[in-house]
Amino acid sequence: MGPLVTHADRDVTGVYTTVFFMTLYSIYKKRREGVNKFTTITLVLLYALATGHVCLALARLIQGFILYRDRISPLKYFADDSVRLNMAKDYLYITTLFLGDLIIVWRLYVVWGRNLYIAILPMLMCLGELGVGYASISQWLAPHQNFKVMDDLGTAMFALSLPTNIILTIVTAARICYYSKAAKSTLAFNHPTSVDATSQVGTRTVFTTNARSCSGFSCRSGKSFSSSDTSSCSRLPPLMPT
């Protein structure tokens, strides 16, 4: 399944690249209006990590089907998650997952008036997610692998990521709804219908963006730790960030 997913990622890489450079061009055009450094830097990092992930996956395909075909069958090669190239690919994936959740934490921080206290716990959850994810993959570097520990650490990573996405989405959307209703009751708007539409669009945007993040990163990727096969208990499927 891994090679098939990699082919799918490769096929849409051109689409992601086009959208990425179109976004950068749009930011450049509006630079005089102010550029958000956090979102811009995160955007570049996410694209770089995703591109590196696809490049490593492609390199592994070349090794498995061409370079090492005479020494080891492709099936056995791709089943070996301890290959250093595969480990590097998984490290990039986990880092991408962390940055995606970090964007949601930053959105919560901004919506709640840049209140640092409300972002402390979600930030710790993101750091914990990153730590257990790295620890799970790093088990391959140990002299003797404990697949039970590897599986538990991988499951913990997704268990931290998914609630972070869901809870922060609800809290952020609730804050937006609260301010929208407070503004409507305090100020006399000439066009209340437009205000309702604007608040609904903003709330739907928050839910849509984060739902895509949850399904693309946490839910789909959690399948890699549900298998009873210990040889693939830490395998992370290649996935381009949404």
Side-chain angles (χ1 to χ4, degrees), residues 9-27:
D9 288 344
R10 182 199 61 192
D11 292 340
V12 298
T13 299
V15 177
Y16 285 116
T17 301
T18 302
V19 173
F20 172 72
F21 283 106
M22 287 177 63
T23 304
L24 287 185
Y25 179 73
S26 178
I27 294 174

Side-chain angles (χ1 to χ4, degrees), residues 65-166:
F65 286 117
I66 301 176
L67 298 181
Y68 301 150
R69 191 178 185 89
D70 296 334
R71 284 181 278 174
I72 183 174
S73 69
L75 184 61
K76 290 183 179 180
Y77 176 79
F78 291 119
D80 186 6
D81 288 340
S82 64
V83 176
R84 295 298 181 260
L85 186 64
N86 188 70
M87 290 180 60
K89 180 168 61 69
D90 290 343
Y91 281 129
L92 290 181
Y93 174 82
I94 294 171
T95 308
T96 304
L97 183 69
F98 166 74
L99 285 179
D101 290 343
L102 193 63
I103 292 176
I104 303 176
V105 176
W106 176 83
R107 179 184 297 166
L108 174 81
Y109 168 72
V110 172
V111 170
W112 280 77
R114 299 186 180 274
N115 186 342
L116 184 61
Y117 294 103
I118 198 171
I120 290 178
L121 181 59
M123 187 63 196
L124 291 177
M125 293 179 69
C126 288
L127 292 174
E129 165 195 329
L130 184 69
V132 296
Y134 281 173
S136 176
I137 302 302
S138 298
Q139 283 288 316
W140 290 112
L141 300 175
H144 303 285
Q145 288 77 36
N146 189 327
F147 294 107
K148 177 74 166 58
V149 173
M150 196 181 299
D151 186 37
D152 291 342
L153 289 173
T155 303
M157 181 184 71
F158 294 112
L160 286 170
S161 178
L162 185 58
T164 300
N165 275 270
I166 295 175

Side-chain angles (χ1 to χ4, degrees), residues 195-228:
V195 176
D196 291 339
T198 302
S199 62
Q200 292 174 6
V201 169
T203 305
R204 281 199 302 266
T205 301
V206 172
F207 274 110
T208 302
T209 304
N210 289 282
R212 188 170 60 227
S213 176
C214 287
S215 61
F217 285 159
S218 303
C219 297
R220 178 179 164 189
S221 303
K223 296 179 181 178
S224 59
F225 291 95
S226 62
S227 174
S228 59

Side-chain angles (χ1 to χ4, degrees), residues 108 111-113 115 169-180:
L108 174 81
V111 170
W112 280 77
N115 186 342
T169 298
I170 294 175
V171 174
T172 302
R175 187 69 168 179
I176 293 175
C177 291
Y178 170 78
Y179 271 116
S180 298

Side-chain angles (χ1 to χ4, degrees), residues 20 23-24 27 36-54 91-100 102-103 134 217 239-242:
F20 172 72
T23 304
L24 287 185
I27 294 174
N36 190 300
K37 295 181 180 180
F38 177 83
T39 54
T40 304
I41 293 174
T42 307
L43 170 70
V44 175
L45 287 177
L46 283 173
Y47 176 77
L49 289 171
T51 303
H53 184 278
V54 173
Y91 281 129
L92 290 181
Y93 174 82
I94 294 171
T95 308
T96 304
L97 183 69
F98 166 74
L99 285 179
L102 193 63
I103 292 176
Y134 281 173
F217 285 159
L239 181 66
M240 293 288 289
T242 57

